[in-house]
Amino acid sequence: MAKDRARKRPNLLLTGTPGTGKTTTATALADATQLRHVSVGDLVRDKGLHDGWDDELECHVINEDLVCDELEDVMEQGGNIVDYHGCDFFPERWFDLVAVLQTDNSILYDRLSKRGYAGSKLSNNIECEIFQVLLEEAKESYPQDIVLALKSDTVADIDRNVASLTEWVRQWHPMS
């Protein structure tokens, strides 16, 4: 259920371990629904919303407050698909649905290896998926009834997820 009565279109969060298909799913869903795709990773990089670089994990150290400040007005308007591998720092009121993409570990290992992930970066992400860290984070951060776990192993899974999420967007109505 929508938390913000002013929104005319829903906000969705697509989260999951890197390599689970968030960006692929978000891009296809944005095309199907005309919602705006917000890639938090791109936003952090493009607008400098970070506190430097983590050499071990080979990524920016996100400044969560700066990200939330940057997104506040856009999220209030509604009509967004936010794509990021974390979720516990976003305000609960922003999202009408939180979809956690999950991928079989052997498939995920291959995807991340092809991206050049190695060492602790690779093992940390595989362990994150094994222990369902992102699903637990979503369940702890948002009402249970808006958190949805979606299998994302194959192109057919992604197509099915996009179709079901598109249908959810079409049926969504703001609170009256």
Side-chain angles (χ1 to χ4, degrees):
M1 290 188 13
K3 303 278 186 280
D4 186 335
R5 296 171 195 270
R7 287 200 305 258
K8 303 248 187 286
R9 303 209 64 202
N11 288 325
L12 288 80
L13 174 61
L14 286 180
T15 190
T17 305
T20 55
K22 294 178 300 297
T23 300
T24 301
T25 302
T27 301
L29 184 59
D31 289 345
T33 61
Q34 303 307 305
L35 296 179
R36 179 187 308 109
H37 175 199
V38 178
S39 168
V40 173
D42 290 348
L43 192 69
V44 166
R45 185 177 49 255
D46 296 346
K47 299 216 173 203
L49 308 176
H50 57 83
D51 295 324
W53 185 257
D54 182 321
D55 288 327
E56 182 181 344
L57 297 178
E58 301 173 21
C59 64
H60 286 109
V61 177
I62 184 173
N63 183 313
E64 297 170 352
D65 291 335
L66 290 177
V67 170
C68 288
D69 289 347
E70 181 70 28
L71 290 175
E72 184 68 44
D73 291 342
V74 171
M75 296 307 291
E76 282 182 24
Q77 294 169 15
N80 300 289
I81 303 163
V82 175
D83 155 11
Y84 192 59
H85 61 263
C87 67
D88 62 347
F89 67 94
F90 296 119
E92 179 185 324
R93 71 182 183 282
W94 279 5
F95 297 109
D96 303 291
L97 184 69
V98 177
V100 182
L101 301 184
Q102 299 182 302
T103 300
D104 177 85
N105 295 320
S106 59
I107 295 168
L108 185 62
Y109 183 91
D110 292 343
R111 287 180 188 172
L112 294 177
S113 294
K114 286 178 185 169
R115 287 185 181 184
Y117 284 39
S120 62
K121 185 171 185 172
L122 178 59
S123 61
N124 287 349
N125 281 296
I126 295 298
E127 287 175 16
C128 184
E129 190 67 6
I130 289 169
F131 294 112
Q132 298 188 351
V133 171
L134 275 297
L135 180 59
E136 290 306 311
E137 185 178 296
K139 287 179 176 180
E140 291 171 5
S141 302
Y142 302 95
Q144 296 277 327
D145 64 336
I146 72 164
V147 176
L148 180 64
L150 297 173
K151 180 180 166 189
S152 186
D153 290 344
T154 65
V155 172
D157 290 337
I158 292 170
D159 290 345
R160 192 170 28 258
N161 293 339
V162 170
S164 66
L165 292 171
T166 298
E167 185 59 26
W168 180 89
V169 169
R170 286 192 182 122
Q171 293 180 9
W172 182 85
H173 296 289
M175 292 175 71
S176 49

